[in-house]
Amino acid sequence: MNGKTVLIVDDEEQIRELLSIYFTKEGFNVAEAADGAEALMKVQQAKPDIIILDIMMPVLDGMEVCQQIRKHSNIPIIMLTSRTQDDDRIMGLEIGADDYVAKPFNPKEIVARVKAVLRRSAAPQYTSSDVLRFPQLEINMAEHSVIAFGNSVALANKEMEVLWQLASHVGKVLSREQLLELVWDYSYCGDTRTVDTHVKRLRKKLGAGPNTPWDIKTVWGIGYKFEVRK
């Protein structure tokens, strides 16, 4: 990970210093910001490869910062939340965060998650032949584009990955744990709600439903499958 830059955004100086020590030891360049407004400025200045973003901050909170960044960039964002802020976790994923970590956290876990995200984003996984076509739906991974019912649909990186994995296994049930490993490349230690949130957002963005020629079906107690109706 030499040469990669991580931007740590948190109003608690102790947290920034702690994470900075761990990431520096792992060969990362580190930039820091103490509030949301400074974070947006540092995104432009430092050009980070990934952002660790606290939710509760002065000036601009993490939600607003994430929304502003997502208007022009798909840079990976890992949000820091309190263990009691379940609604904030879900909202963060809905507005485009790639992942979340609950406070208090183990710095080694955050480093591992950052490495996993960067590994996947750096790998040249897709070529021009990686296109899936269904009635009223085209998924082009090489170009990071989706056309549904004649309209271009803007998807975040993880949304695109979840859709690709489901659609490339058409008719097959993928468990939440399988999707976590395929898309996120590591274990969530049993917390699979992020998969549910991404699928919910995909259905809304794609316009999938009971009257469409394809759908992302819930298989209760297991996971999801992409189904093409005959």
Side-chain angles (χ1 to χ4, degrees):
M1 294 299 166
N2 289 337
K4 296 291 185 181
T5 298
V6 56
L7 172 60
I8 302 168
V9 185
D10 198 299
D11 60 329
E12 295 185 46
E13 184 177 1
Q14 185 177 1
I15 288 179
R16 298 198 309 273
E17 290 180 350
L18 177 64
L19 290 176
S20 179
I21 290 170
Y22 274 82
F23 278 107
T24 300
K25 285 182 178 179
E26 293 294 325
F28 285 85
N29 298 318
V30 177
E32 299 180 20
D35 60 57
E38 185 181 7
L40 293 176
M41 180 178 66
K42 287 292 180 69
V43 169
Q44 298 300 319
Q45 293 177 346
K47 307 295 184 186
D49 298 284
I50 192 166
I51 301 171
I52 299 171
L53 179 63
D54 187 32
I55 289 181
M56 300 298 293
M57 291 188 301
V59 186
L60 291 176
D61 65 22
M63 297 295 186
E64 179 64 25
V65 173
C66 183
Q67 287 179 310
Q68 291 293 329
I69 292 173
R70 281 293 173 260
K71 290 180 180 179
H72 57 79
S73 174
N74 279 324
I75 181 174
I77 297 174
I78 297 177
M79 303 199 82
L80 300 180
T81 74
S82 165
R83 289 193 183 278
T84 60
Q85 294 173 311
D86 286 342
D87 290 344
D88 284 347
R89 298 182 196 184
I90 294 171
M91 187 180 300
L93 293 170
E94 287 180 343
I95 63 175
D98 295 89
D99 191 5
Y100 62 80
V101 176
K103 293 181 177 180
F105 55 78
N106 184 333
K108 292 182 180 179
E109 178 189 2
I110 294 184
V111 172
R113 293 194 180 200
V114 164
K115 286 182 176 181
V117 171
L118 291 176
R119 255 194 326 266
R120 292 188 64 82
S121 62
Q125 301 177 73
Y126 303 107
T127 67
S128 58
S129 63
D130 289 314
V131 180
L132 295 175
R133 294 182 177 88
F134 305 96
Q136 299 295 315
L137 178 67
E138 180 178 290
I139 307 165
N140 188 322
M141 288 302 290
E143 297 182 4
H144 193 92
S145 68
V146 173
I147 306 295
F149 306 105
N151 298 312
S152 178
V153 180
L155 297 181
N157 291 335
K158 287 295 185 286
E159 294 169 355
M160 193 82 178
E161 291 270 2
V162 171
L163 177 60
W164 176 263
Q165 292 297 339
L166 288 168
S168 61
H169 295 87
V170 60
K172 178 181 178 181
V173 179
L174 294 181
S175 70
R176 291 172 175 83
E177 290 77 14
Q178 284 177 304
L179 286 167
L180 285 172
E181 184 159 349
L182 288 167
V183 175
W184 281 266
D185 197 26
Y186 59 83
S187 171
Y188 266 64
C189 302
D191 190 351
T192 58
R193 287 170 294 179
T194 188
V195 174
D196 300 329
T197 301
H198 278 74
V199 169
K200 178 182 177 182
R201 193 162 65 242
L202 275 173
R203 286 170 173 157
K204 182 177 180 180
K205 287 187 175 183
L206 296 171
N211 298 317
T212 55
W214 41 264
D215 197 4
I216 301 174
K217 303 286 288 186
T218 299
V219 181
W220 296 108
I222 302 176
Y224 299 95
K225 70 174 178 178
F226 186 88
E227 185 177 86
V228 178
R229 297 187 174 96
K230 297 179 180 180

